Amino acid sequence: MKTRSLRGLLSRIRRGTLPIDAALERLRELPYEDLGFAKIDNHRELRRGFPEVIFGEGKTVPQIVAIVDRIVGRGQTALITRVGEEVHHRVRERHPGARYHATARAVTVGFRPRRGGGRPGILVLAAGTSDLPVAEEAALTAEVMGNRVERAYDVGIAGLHRLLAQRKKLRKARVIVAVAGMEGALPSVVAGLVPVPVIGVPTSIGYGTGLKGVAALMGMLNSCSTGLLVVNIDNGFGAGYSASVINKMIDK
Amino acid sequence: MKTRSLRGLLSRIRRGTLPIDAALERLRELPYEDLGFAKIDNHRELRRGFPEVIFGEGKTVPQIVAIVDRIVGRGQTALITRVGEEVHHRVRERHPGARYHATARAVTVGFRPRRGGGRPGILVLAAGTSDLPVAEEAALTAEVMGNRVERAYDVGIAGLHRLLAQRKKLRKARVIVAVAGMEGALPSVVAGLVPVPVIGVPTSIGYGTGLKGVAALMGMLNSCSTGLLVVNIDNGFGAGYSASVINKMIDK
Amino acid sequence: MKTRSLRGLLSRIRRGTLPIDAALERLRELPYEDLGFAKIDNHRELRRGFPEVIFGEGKTVPQIVAIVDRIVGRGQTALITRVGEEVHHRVRERHPGARYHATARAVTVGFRPRRGGGRPGILVLAAGTSDLPVAEEAALTAEVMGNRVERAYDVGIAGLHRLLAQRKKLRKARVIVAVAGMEGALPSVVAGLVPVPVIGVPTSIGYGTGLKGVAALMGMLNSCSTGLLVVNIDNGFGAGYSASVINKMIDK
Amino acid sequence: MKTRSLRGLLSRIRRGTLPIDAALERLRELPYEDLGFAKIDNHRELRRGFPEVIFGEGKTVPQIVAIVDRIVGRGQTALITRVGEEVHHRVRERHPGARYHATARAVTVGFRPRRGGGRPGILVLAAGTSDLPVAEEAALTAEVMGNRVERAYDVGIAGLHRLLAQRKKLRKARVIVAVAGMEGALPSVVAGLVPVPVIGVPTSIGYGTGLKGVAALMGMLNSCSTGLLVVNIDNGFGAGYSASVINKMIDK
Amino acid sequence: MKTRSLRGLLSRIRRGTLPIDAALERLRELPYEDLGFAKIDNHRELRRGFPEVIFGEGKTVPQIVAIVDRIVGRGQTALITRVGEEVHHRVRERHPGARYHATARAVTVGFRPRRGGGRPGILVLAAGTSDLPVAEEAALTAEVMGNRVERAYDVGIAGLHRLLAQRKKLRKARVIVAVAGMEGALPSVVAGLVPVPVIGVPTSIGYGTGLKGVAALMGMLNSCSTGLLVVNIDNGFGAGYSASVINKMIDK
Amino acid sequence: MKTRSLRGLLSRIRRGTLPIDAALERLRELPYEDLGFAKIDNHRELRRGFPEVIFGEGKTVPQIVAIVDRIVGRGQTALITRVGEEVHHRVRERHPGARYHATARAVTVGFRPRRGGGRPGILVLAAGTSDLPVAEEAALTAEVMGNRVERAYDVGIAGLHRLLAQRKKLRKARVIVAVAGMEGALPSVVAGLVPVPVIGVPTSIGYGTGLKGVAALMGMLNSCSTGLLVVNIDNGFGAGYSASVINKMIDK
Amino acid sequence: MKTRSLRGLLSRIRRGTLPIDAALERLRELPYEDLGFAKIDNHRELRRGFPEVIFGEGKTVPQIVAIVDRIVGRGQTALITRVGEEVHHRVRERHPGARYHATARAVTVGFRPRRGGGRPGILVLAAGTSDLPVAEEAALTAEVMGNRVERAYDVGIAGLHRLLAQRKKLRKARVIVAVAGMEGALPSVVAGLVPVPVIGVPTSIGYGTGLKGVAALMGMLNSCSTGLLVVNIDNGFGAGYSASVINKMIDK
Amino acid sequence: MKTRSLRGLLSRIRRGTLPIDAALERLRELPYEDLGFAKIDNHRELRRGFPEVIFGEGKTVPQIVAIVDRIVGRGQTALITRVGEEVHHRVRERHPGARYHATARAVTVGFRPRRGGGRPGILVLAAGTSDLPVAEEAALTAEVMGNRVERAYDVGIAGLHRLLAQRKKLRKARVIVAVAGMEGALPSVVAGLVPVPVIGVPTSIGYGTGLKGVAALMGMLNSCSTGLLVVNIDNGFGAGYSASVINKMIDK
């Protein structure tokens, strides 16, 4: 449609119904994307089937509901992160298909997980029990984006045998999300074991000097292993999103 | 060979020349990799053609030369990062094929860039002139790892038109390394424009509160764009390495 | 009146009714402003029509009410920032003209926005929805100070086309307040696009290492764009105030 | 010229010598500014007479010389900041009009200060002797940008009478740049005395916990005075630039 | 009494009723203070009339009540800092003379302020209204320690005339406690005006980067004025205590 | 049992019922510990009698109860740290032997303190009353691990005589845990007095710049005394655990 | 003289030779100190005999020499801190009485230490050998300001007996400067032993996390001892200055 | 001898040659250790054979030589840490037995390593080549203190098999010093593998956000493994010292 409006404008020039100076002026005022630059933003095509995401933290419930309405109205899937059960209740009143993912603290609308389906290749690891909310946010994001996600939780480095027992899953993965708080060493150890991209997610688990995940973040950034990429503290969504982008490109 | 020694041990059990208790004891003492766990470390196969890398900073010249000798002795390519011209001189005395990459401040031994060859798909962006050493370290690393690297430098966000003029390169990239100091906003803007993985590299360019790249690092970690992954400050090598791993997997 | 008391003193010297030594002593004890130094503080004249501002955070409701009484008693407009609805209720009991500005979290007393009136030239930009309270605090402050404020919200750099679509407003502005959390890159991009002063306001939006706005603040201070001035985190009032001072001087 | 090429394209459509589909394709590939967006970047007109600036720190002498050649070749004035005497020598070899400003540590090429001329209104204050390089960088920047700059140095708050003795200059200023290290309180005190915009520049003067100017920066950001805007530590250039932009707009 | 027990021991040696080896052993086991070292700790004498102080924050009400009982049982005055009204109620049930000082958030037991009495010389300054709790904690501490305290509040540097109007009090002070949040510049300005010791108390007032008083603390530590001594953030008690110690020594 | 399964596998090789290639494959897939590496993890033997520990903070009550059930089911003692009274109530419903240690904020199940029994040698010191929860967490941990723990509380360095009065206990200790907040100097002083290992535990006691124990932690890490080892802020459990490990080894 | 010019002005009013309006105008323009406000700055009288101080760090030798000339020309004593031997040589060329104090890294001009003379009461303590430069800067400052300074060095808390052996000096002191790096606990211990004001000076001695003295500074600010006042890292001059001011007031 | 002087004093009381009052006075003035308190400081006995240590960094060569002279004069072994070759040369001129340990950057005087001798049980691990100086400082310290030290270097977690190949050494150790820079995860992994005390030493290896070892230190403090104790960044000496103290106690 956008291309169409631009074509229309050019046609009117051709037909002589639009003077060149007026055309120049119109070109300058046309919305940006009409001029073709949006081609760079060809996300849409690539993302076909990708959900629209609402970062719920700090938004009011009415704000969230309004955005969900708009997304669902366009026939898209919605993923709302960082919200409690009460948001789910309010969304479900209007959209009965809304579903609450308690550990991930997220709501999905219009998301139907395919049994055994989806693109394989993403493995989500979590060091400890307290890292689960972030790990599940990453896993759910990847699932909503069309992946079949493997999980291996409670594989922190304080007991290496737990991680090494996951050899099979590690071998099959095409991209790994490794979630860890405290000293955040799990992604480093994993990146030393596998030849695929590892995305480290520091979590705000722990206390004392590690408070808020800075220790884990610094640990991951300063990893002595190569092949480790990092996202912000607790940013499970970002890790799941990037893992999905990489996995989709591998699959093409 | 490793598998062979384990097979030999099992054969001796089979033949009855090794008592089971002794075999149990031997199994416990065998080097780790003999037992098959090294399979997880199947880097080697994937990395075929990947160079061995020496992080030169803080190593003495004799130490570097000794390691290079060993690598070249195995017939492998060597990449030495963070070194000055004088290291090159010393290495070249023994290995005439050694080549100095001045901007990247790196030495390669046994690396023959293929004209127009290599795996396409990696684009390296740099915001400013001062970011070039880090950007070139990333680009060189990717080239040594078998890629044909596109570059677009001096495309910082203070003049958006410079970045937008790179539309063609942005469209063709499969993975982008975006290097920026100061406020480090380039990767955020790029990740908002393209649907492929973007690896942000903060540099220690700038002064005042941004000294040492912390401002740029924080900017990238807190990006409002999705699809942005981060490595440590000035870690051009890490970015080039991860980009190569991703690009190789896409290519398979 | 102050000048008068000083003139009186000089007259008594002239008339010989005040010995010179006593006059010297009196001069030393006179209030500072009587001596003319307050002339430096000629804010009052310039600020004619500027409101008195109460920073509400950390003040008790009775304290706020007492200050408002005093301001209104002098016939001035009052602006109370960082307060909730309940402060409004209490103030309105005594001053029926009090009005609550919910997004800005501010109360005004005696402020009558002029329809289409006021001094034009100030544009307030906000990167995301969560930046609105700070942006509205800036906009309201400027309005109470006699400006007609343009707004353009949700123009964060993750989708450049949204910002570029505001070309018309950007062209007309004489001073721009750009509010952004996360990595805080919006003011940098804007300062690269326009030739007028840009005031960046980092907000405490975001989580992880960016918590409390330090990442955004550092991003703005280390901007690679020239012409960017910064105020403290969440300091919408300060930005709106400074923008008004600049705009008034331009208008003179 | 840019507009001309776009007009040419439209003319060929009109004449029917360019098919519409080809025109659409061409429009997408035209450089950004040809499409009129550069209108936003109408810096050029406003900046008429503004110098091109080279941030010298971290650039090699040949790099600097090359850029100067290009600027002078376009007939523009060049300002090179953060450089030593030796850069001046090298630049002067090719451009005899190059002049070194020792305190500001800057070189200008093609800058001819107008005796008693220039736009009045900018006042640069410095708290202590060690703040002079930063203050002079600000003052020189403003002078090169066409201003006649007033200076008042060594007016730190440890001896208030020195500042108060500058009453006349404070009264006449339209925009003030206040440079201070240590605790950085000078801009706060000044912003409490005058009704015009004050730009605070923290300097990296001092030792102990204030090392690198962070104490001064935090002091200015947290000022209890309104009307204070801040730039990065030691960023004299940025302050002088913004002051000039504001002063030019006041003058229009 | 302590000296007495040691004298008794020596007497028994003299009388021959205690063998020398047993005496040696006893000397080693005697409580520390019996051996005269407590002479160094001759606080008691100097502090005659000084109250016992309980830092209430983080103590349970029963713990506080028990300590008060013990102090009052010894006939001493008690000062309990950082407590709410409810602690006062519980203490008053057992000690009717207990009194709550609301602004200082402190309880005193057995403290009877002497009308117009006490040692003169201490002046407590506060920059803003929000600094009052800390300033009052300092003032009350000094009063309980026997001083007659002058106060001058709301004399922050954003309006210098307010401070300069306090010339008389500044001239009479022998030691000054200057309390300030935000950028914490008040103590610097005061130390530049007076020739007596100034104790700066940073407060945790403000927001953004100054959160928790670190900006104010750094400002005071990096003061360009000489004669400024600093205590920890919000440590009104420590400032009042040290001021009292200095004032008592001046008075001797 | 694990060794047994490996022995079985070898027996089948010997008997020829398992082809060597299949055996190789099986060896690679066997759980890690079956292969004898768990021998390194011979914790279990050494720790005989050591409890299983649950870090309660951030776990839900049902999660805690489930883990306790599993531990008790194996006949082991459980120690739950960082929990309130309500966790005790819920655990006691199912395990009547559960006991709450209020100061340590911990629950034990199956722990029966031996009167006067246990391994002697551990001394726990606390500087102030507010450090007691952390000190008691350390002491309780050591007791549950089979030690008889000496305590000396309220021996902070503000009154050295209190510490020196503990000479007897200091002389008898084999390993000392020294808990301190504020400036955290107690462990330094103690390490200067005794020839045994001292474990310093910084606590998050205090306010202002010391908030959260960072000041105490830095003090301990930078101690001028030798023989001081440090654990994280508030990590009483870690200190008690390490002290127990050292004490057990001394006892062997 | 200043008073004289004001008196002259008043006399001319009295004589009728100066109209009142002109007098008003003149009063407004007179230098600040002429109006008597400088009375607050009655430093001069109190400081009689106090030297003028030049903070040498960051000043060029010619700058220093010029300031010394001016001071000596007024017949005053000069103290130049933070300078090397070479500054001494240059100053001595013009002022033969210049003397270098090597440990304190300071030069004095016109300072003649009085044998056994000066005001008694100041004690300077240093924890370790590396703290001597800062301790000597404090001691020299106090001596130049007319004090007879006691010293006790190498009394760090790692060996308490060294400090306790200084009982006599501790008892006699009226104000103590305690200099310490590393964890900076010496001032805390001392403030717990004596009833006089203690000024803690953190030094930038140590390495690792304590680098630059921040650990020592935080330790002193968070001291659990009352009566401790703090100056900035390495600020021996500030401590010696404040100690002198206090000691002079005690002596009056 | 000390006890003797006290006994002499008591004898004179007994004999009546010293009046009791004079004895009381003398007791108060006797050096601290004479009174038996030094018994707490029974280091000497335990440390028999322990060297005297000189922290060389920041000391001048003459200072070091003087201290060595004193130590050797007492017949003790000296260990000088953090010094270069030139210190060795100067010391060897006077003490021919002086020996330089290049990697550890230390000099020993009077230290004769016992071939195969010394107390077994200490294992020193280093993650990377750049950690060797710190690891060797720890190992040498332990050797000089009478231990036979095992070493296992280059066992960083980026290649787990290297660490796991050290199973035998890990099993035999009684106390382990684990040295690591970058993210500092080695000690965590080791503490999860062994049941003995592990002392983590962060090193200042790495760049970017990990600069100066803070990332490694935070990683170790926040370890999810129990049984890990930490010393300051680069503090190899402290780790070797504490390991020796623990090992000696185990051996008793």
Side-chain angles (χ1 to χ4, degrees), chain C residues 24, chain G residues 1-12 18 26-27 30-31 33-35:
Chain C
L24 274 170
Chain G
M1 183 168 122
K2 260 130 196 199
T3 300
R4 216 184 309 161
S5 77
L6 183 54
R7 181 186 299 274
L9 190 146
L10 298 185
S11 300
R12 291 173 56 208
L18 185 71
R26 291 283 296 279
L27 273 172
L30 267 181
E33 58 266 46
D34 290 4
L35 284 162

Side-chain angles (χ1 to χ4, degrees), chain D residues 46-108:
Chain D
L46 232 158
R47 281 184 190 151
R48 199 157 311 208
F50 277 19
E52 290 284 315
V53 182
I54 306 163
F55 183 69
E57 199 170 288
K59 293 212 176 62
T60 64
V61 177
Q63 285 178 318
I64 291 173
V65 169
I67 306 179
V68 169
D69 285 1
R70 217 159 54 218
I71 294 172
V72 172
R74 286 199 302 262
Q76 279 179 293
T77 300
L79 168 62
I80 316 161
T81 62
R82 312 275 169 118
V83 289
E85 192 94 49
E86 73 288 359
V87 169
H88 174 229
H89 292 322
R90 293 284 297 278
V91 169
R92 202 178 40 185
E93 286 170 16
R94 305 171 58 90
H95 307 283
R99 190 174 151 205
Y100 191 59
H101 307 260
T103 310
R105 304 197 63 243
V107 171
T108 50

Side-chain angles (χ1 to χ4, degrees), chain E residues 2 4 59 61 72 84 88 108 120 135 141 145 154 161 184 193 219 235 241:
Chain E
K2 259 132 198 196
R4 216 185 307 162
K59 292 212 178 61
V61 177
V72 172
H88 174 230
T108 50
T141 300
M145 288 173 78
D154 204 18
H161 54 283
L193 289 176
N235 191 3
Y241 183 93

Side-chain angles (χ1 to χ4, degrees), chain D residues 187-250:
Chain D
S188 282
V189 170
V190 171
L193 289 175
V194 300
V196 301
V198 177
I199 300 174
V201 192
T203 67
S204 55
I205 303 310
Y207 51 107
T209 56
L211 196 68
K212 295 186 177 151
V214 172
L217 171 63
M218 289 177 76
M220 295 181 195
L221 286 170
N222 290 285
S223 172
C224 52
S225 301
T226 48
L228 181 53
L229 298 162
V230 183
V231 296
N232 206 3
I233 296 165
D234 288 339
N235 192 4
F237 165 70
Y241 183 94
S242 282
S244 301
V245 167
I246 293 174
N247 200 31
K248 178 157 196 179
M249 297 195 71
I250 293 172

Side-chain angles (χ1 to χ4, degrees), chain C residues 31 34 46 48 51 77 96 117-118 120 142 155 163 179 196 213 222 252:
Chain C
D34 289 6
L46 231 160
R48 197 157 313 206
T77 300
V155 293
L163 175 63
V179 181
V196 300
N222 290 284
K252 283 204 292 195

Side-chain angles (χ1 to χ4, degrees), chain H residues 206-221:
Chain H
Y207 52 106
T209 57
L211 194 69
K212 297 194 174 143
V214 172
L217 171 63
M218 287 178 78
M220 295 181 195
L221 286 171

Side-chain angles (χ1 to χ4, degrees), chain G:
Chain G
M1 183 168 122
K2 260 130 196 199
T3 300
R4 216 184 309 161
S5 77
L6 183 54
R7 181 186 299 274
L9 190 146
L10 298 185
S11 300
R12 291 173 56 208
I13 299 173
R14 165 71 55 93
R15 290 195 304 268
T17 61
L18 185 71
I20 281 177
D21 278 349
L24 273 170
E25 194 56 35
R26 291 283 296 279
L27 273 172
R28 277 191 191 101
E29 301 297 341
L30 267 181
Y32 181 68
E33 58 266 46
D34 290 4
L35 284 162
F37 290 105
K39 266 292 160 71
I40 295 175
D41 185 13
N42 52 358
H43 279 199
R44 213 149 289 132
E45 190 159 351
L46 233 159
R47 282 183 190 152
R48 197 157 313 205
F50 278 19
E52 290 284 316
V53 182
I54 306 162
F55 184 70
E57 201 171 287
K59 292 212 176 61
T60 63
V61 178
Q63 285 178 317
I64 291 173
V65 168
I67 306 178
V68 169
D69 285 0
R70 218 158 53 217
I71 294 172
V72 173
R74 286 200 302 261
Q76 279 179 293
T77 300
L79 168 63
I80 315 160
T81 62
R82 313 274 171 115
V83 289
E85 193 94 50
E86 73 288 359
V87 169
H88 174 230
H89 293 321
R90 293 284 296 278
V91 170
R92 202 180 40 186
E93 285 169 17
R94 305 172 58 90
H95 308 282
R99 191 174 150 204
Y100 191 59
H101 306 261
T103 311
R105 304 197 63 243
V107 170
T108 50
V109 187
F111 166 56
R112 258 169 252 95
R114 290 170 269 181
R115 290 262 142 222
R119 184 177 299 120
I122 294 181
L123 170 62
V124 176
L125 304 172
T129 311
S130 339
D131 301 317
L132 286 193
V134 177
E136 275 300 306
E137 186 180 292
L140 177 63
T141 300
E143 286 173 343
V144 176
M145 287 173 78
N147 297 281
R148 185 171 71 236
V149 176
E150 286 285 337
R151 288 159 171 88
Y153 291 165
D154 204 19
V155 293
I157 62 155
L160 266 189
H161 54 282
R162 296 178 301 183
L163 174 63
L164 296 175
Q166 306 294 335
R167 287 195 308 278
K168 271 192 182 165
K169 288 183 179 172
L170 290 169
R171 270 183 213 145
K172 287 191 311 187
R174 297 194 296 199
V175 53
I176 296 176
V177 174
V179 181
M182 311 293 284
E183 83 274 58
L186 176 64
S188 281
V189 170
V190 170
L193 289 175
V194 300
V196 301
V198 177
I199 300 173
V201 191
T203 67
S204 56
I205 304 310
Y207 51 107
T209 56
L211 196 69
K212 295 187 177 149
V214 172
L217 171 63
M218 288 178 76
M220 294 180 196
L221 286 171
N222 290 285
S223 173
C224 52
S225 301
T226 48
L228 181 53
L229 298 163
V230 183
V231 296
N232 205 4
I233 297 164
D234 289 338
N235 192 3
F237 164 70
Y241 182 94
S242 282
S244 301
V245 167
I246 294 174
N247 200 31
K248 178 157 198 179
M249 298 195 71
I250 292 173
D251 221 39
K252 282 203 292 193

Side-chain angles (χ1 to χ4, degrees), chain F residues 227-239:
Chain F
L228 181 53
L229 298 162
V230 182
V231 296
N232 206 3
I233 296 164
D234 289 339
N235 192 3
F237 165 71

